Amino acid sequence: MTSTTQSTTFPVLPLPAGVILPTMVVTIALESDEAKAAAEAAGESGTLLLVPKVGERYAAVGTLARIESNGELPGGTRALVVRA
């Protein structure tokens, strides 16, 4: 019996507060350099791994999310609408 393993790499968007669960649709402000870099890295695939971050540590579990749209919030901060 032959076994194959496939791995895929996704950009990690750190969540400074809260948790996003599967099926949730949320707006996320891209306030940190890490968040902006993750949004850029998602590129055409539009898929991100959303992971809670406390201090310098990431949680062990995250949620895959697809970028539904992007734009700017009223204050001018770039933001994404994602569907987990």
Side-chain angles (χ1 to χ4, degrees):
M1 183 166 157
T2 303
S3 176
T4 60
T5 302
Q6 181 180 351
S7 63
T8 305
T9 303
F10 296 101
V12 174
L13 194 151
L15 302 172
V19 175
I20 297 175
L21 302 172
T23 73
M24 292 176 69
V25 177
V26 295
T27 300
I28 300 173
L30 302 177
E31 298 173 316
S32 71
D33 290 337
E34 287 177 300
K36 292 172 188 171
E40 286 261 333
E44 289 185 27
S45 77
T47 303
L48 297 164
L49 177 61
L50 308 177
V51 180
K53 185 176 181 186
V54 179
E56 293 300 313
R57 294 187 48 188
Y58 290 94
V61 177
T63 301
L64 283 178
R66 182 167 242 2
I67 298 172
E68 297 282 318
S69 65
N70 62 65
E72 287 187 5
L73 297 172
T77 302
R78 190 167 160 222
L80 302 175
V81 175
V82 300
R83 180 180 303 273

